[in-house]
Amino acid sequence: MRQKSIAVIIVAAGKGERASVGAALDPKQYRRIGGKPVLAQTVQAFLALPQISRVVAVIHPDHVARYEELGLVDERMMPPVIGAETRQGSVLEGLKALAPIRPDFVLIQDAARPFASPQVIGDVIAALGEFDGALPALPVTDTIKRSLDGQQVATTEDRKQLLAAQTPQGFRFGQIFSAHMRASTIRNRQFTDDAEIAEWAGLRVALVTGDRDNIKITHPEDFARAERILSGDLPMETRVGTGFDVHPFEPGDAVWLGGVRIPHKAKLKGHSDADVALHALTDAILGAIGEGDIGVHFPPSDMQWKGAASTVFLKHAGGLVAQAGGRIVNLDVTIVCEAPRIAQHVPAMREVIAETLEIATTRIAIKATTSEQLGFTGREEGIVAMASASVELPRVD
């Protein structure tokens, strides 16, 4: 008997705004968990299975460069498809891309569910031998109330009849493609998932047992839960690192501080852009995870770092935290100088740091003070920065 061909559509065309806090962070499917972007985690969960023959990602038109940066190299990966304004429309675009190869089965997966297990995927595929469609689901454990106005309870639902749907949802390709095409002609109605379209089209949809860890990352706090899942729910511990840096002035017309260019009568002297604030902060993060200092990772003797933006160093330190299964809890930076004036630039600095490390601006504090005209900073010969970083890591006894 011929082995069934199985294709996967990864729906990644949303902007993921509900999962962002503070700074304009990357969409949730491109943010990192366990040192790897969510979308990459999701795709690789399917590429790890030899029975999967094709995978196509449906992405937002603004995210083409971000997607290419994922480096998803596998002969089964198809070129990404540009999605529509709605999830339903994006799935249809994915189905159209698969139409020329016409697989036997198609699995439709939310990009924000990176933990679809081989067991769940296998159970969905197995059910397609008997049914037109299948989806993983879990019993609802909370009591469910219905309200007509959002203020008063109208009735209590029978939770024994209620299930929480997950993805991947699997279907026989020709049937779900036809159902989606028909559904696209209906005005003023959007279906909540692909199983609802299948139900509407009269297809038989089976239930298989879902997985509690097969979460959909929707809100900011879901990233912390995702990290715990990846670490196997290991107990976490908080570590603290400190950083200190100083750079003298030399002739110039601006200084780099906190990733922001600030006009001044001089510039800071250094091998890179001499961003004293980001150097201290990078050292603080590296110290918290026991990874030495900035000079170990970016030696000043290496000419490739001549004039480099210090955000490169900071991003590297943040990546090491993610690779260790950790997360940055908070950062605190103090800049000491008589001039230039720092306060008006603090919001921009926090935005740069937040975007570089993919954390919320609420986790970052930047303060500026003078040395009351004492010492070399008081004589305006240079700038000092001090930083501390709190990092949560899996505990190792």
Side-chain angles (χ1 to χ4, degrees), residues 4 23 66 106 115 159 162 245 275 277 280 285 287 291 295 322 331 335 345-346 362 368 372 385 390:
K4 299 292 186 181
R66 283 190 173 103
V106 61
F115 302 123
R159 68 183 179 191
L162 300 176
D245 198 28
D275 191 326
I285 296 172
E291 286 288 345
L331 306 171
I335 301 170
H345 302 288
V346 166
T362 52
E372 300 296 337
S390 297

Side-chain angles (χ1 to χ4, degrees), residues 193-226:
D193 67 359
D194 306 290
E196 186 183 6
I197 291 178
E199 297 156 24
W200 168 79
L203 303 181
R204 297 176 306 143
V205 181
L207 294 169
V208 303
T209 303
D211 187 338
R212 297 287 177 192
D213 285 343
N214 187 19
I215 65 170
K216 183 178 182 181
I217 296 175
T218 305
H219 302 290
E221 58 269 22
D222 294 333
F223 283 93
R225 183 179 175 192

